[in-house]
Amino acid sequence: MSVTKTLALVMACVVVLTMQGTTLAQNTQQDYLDTHNVARSVVGVADIEWNNTLQAYAEDYANKRRGDCSLTHSGGPYGENLYWAPTTSFTAIDAVKLWVDEKQYYDYQSNTCSKGQLLDCGHYTQVVWRDTTQVGCARAECNNGGLFIICSYYPRGNVIGQWPY
C-alpha cells in the first residue's frame, strides 16, 4: 500500500473515531438535563434533577426494546417520553429537542393540543411539567440498527385538568 493510501486510511479512521467520540459525548446525563432545563426555564418552571433510580428504570426498559425499537410505553409508575431514530447517530439532545418542538402544537389558553395533534404535544408538556422534579434517561441501540431513547419522570406529568405551568 502506498504512503498516500495509508495516510488517507489513517485520516479516515481518525475522522470516524472523532465522530464517535462526539456522538458519545452528546449523550450524557448533563445533555439530557440541560436540554430539559432550557425548555423549562423558557416557561418559568424550576430545573429538574437527575435521578439514578429513574435512570435504572429507563435502562431496563430501553434494553427490553432492543429487539424491536417499538415506541411502546412501559406502563410503569413514572411519566415517560420515548424516542426512536433510524440510526444510532442521533443524540440525547436530538430526542429532547424533538419533544420540546411539540410546543408549537400546545395551546396554553385551552390547555389542549392543536386539533389533529392530540398525541403530539404531550411529550412537550411532560418536559415542562411544573411538578416534575426528577428525570432519568437511557438509550439503546436496537438490533435493527435504530436507536431507542426513554426518559422517565417523577412525579409524572400530564395530569388531566391541570396546566403544565
Side-chain angles (χ1 to χ4, degrees):
M1 184 180 292
S2 73
V3 172
T4 304
K5 285 184 180 180
T6 303
L7 183 57
L9 182 59
V10 169
M11 291 303 290
C13 289
V14 168
V15 168
V16 168
L17 291 173
T18 302
M19 288 172 55
Q20 283 181 331
T22 300
T23 300
L24 293 175
Q26 294 177 345
N27 293 302
T28 67
Q29 291 175 4
Q30 202 61 49
D31 292 322
Y32 287 106
L33 279 174
D34 289 348
T35 311
H36 275 83
N37 288 332
V38 165
R40 294 172 66 84
S41 70
V42 167
V43 296
V45 296
D47 286 354
I48 53 177
E49 296 180 352
W50 193 261
N51 179 296
N52 291 329
T53 300
L54 294 173
Q55 178 187 0
Y57 181 86
E59 284 176 354
D60 181 60
Y61 191 67
N63 286 328
K64 289 178 182 173
R65 295 272 55 103
R66 281 184 191 275
D68 61 8
C69 232
S70 173
L71 290 176
T72 303
H73 284 280
S74 70
Y78 307 114
E80 192 169 273
N81 279 341
L82 305 177
Y83 174 87
W84 172 84
T87 70
T88 59
S89 63
F90 291 83
T91 67
I93 294 168
D94 294 324
V96 179
K97 283 186 176 182
L98 179 78
W99 300 327
V100 171
D101 285 347
E102 294 176 5
K103 180 179 184 177
Q104 65 185 314
Y105 303 120
Y106 178 66
D107 177 38
Y108 184 81
Q109 297 303 326
S110 64
N111 193 29
T112 61
C113 297
S114 301
K115 188 173 184 170
Q117 300 294 332
L118 184 59
L119 299 176
D120 290 333
C121 78
H123 303 103
Y124 165 69
T125 54
Q126 175 60 81
V127 168
V128 298
W129 198 263
R130 73 176 169 270
D131 294 334
T132 296
T133 59
Q134 299 170 27
V135 67
C137 304
R139 59 184 271 138
E141 295 182 9
C142 301
N143 296 341
N144 62 9
L147 175 69
F148 181 88
I149 293 179
I150 174 176
C151 285
S152 298
Y153 300 87
Y154 182 82
R156 70 173 52 232
N158 293 331
V159 178
I160 295 173
Q162 294 183 17
W163 269 253
Y165 49 90

